[in-house]
Amino acid sequence: MRDRKHPEQGYRTCLGVIRLADKFGRDRLDAACKRALEINARSYSSVQSILKNGLDSRPRTRATEEPAITHTNIRGADYFH
């Protein structure tokens, strides 16, 4: 609510998120809100999208430290030293 220009906008967002429990259930809503906070997506549409796509029940994959592909033309930071 603090991120909104007017507190009323944040209040309406909170009510909308709470209303999602009627359709998806409390447990799923809690899991979706937790995931939304982890990815810094604090909007009604973000929480609703997480629920619609079933992302609340999937583990969140983290980015790896390794390069996305291995190729001879990709030399890395050591090449420039």
Side-chain angles (χ1 to χ4, degrees), residues 31-43:
C33 288
K34 180 180 177 186
R35 186 178 184 116
L37 288 173
E38 287 175 355
I39 61 173
N40 201 24
R42 297 172 290 173
S43 67

Side-chain angles (χ1 to χ4, degrees), residues 11-76:
Y11 181 73
R12 289 180 56 87
T13 299
C14 290
L15 286 178
V17 169
I18 292 169
R19 247 184 256 117
L20 288 171
D22 294 340
K23 184 175 181 180
F24 295 100
R26 284 184 176 181
D27 293 335
R28 286 196 63 200
L29 179 60
D30 284 342
C33 288
K34 180 180 177 186
R35 186 178 184 116
L37 288 173
E38 287 175 355
I39 61 173
N40 201 24
R42 297 172 290 173
S43 67
Y44 169 84
S45 59
S46 296
V47 175
Q48 183 185 33
S49 176
I50 290 169
L51 289 165
K52 278 186 176 181
N53 295 309
L55 298 175
D56 55 301
S57 59
R58 293 188 204 158
R60 187 168 162 239
T61 57
R62 306 240 183 231
T64 62
E65 297 295 323
E66 299 174 16
I69 60 171
T70 304
H71 192 274
T72 56
N73 290 341
I74 300 175
R75 295 175 185 91

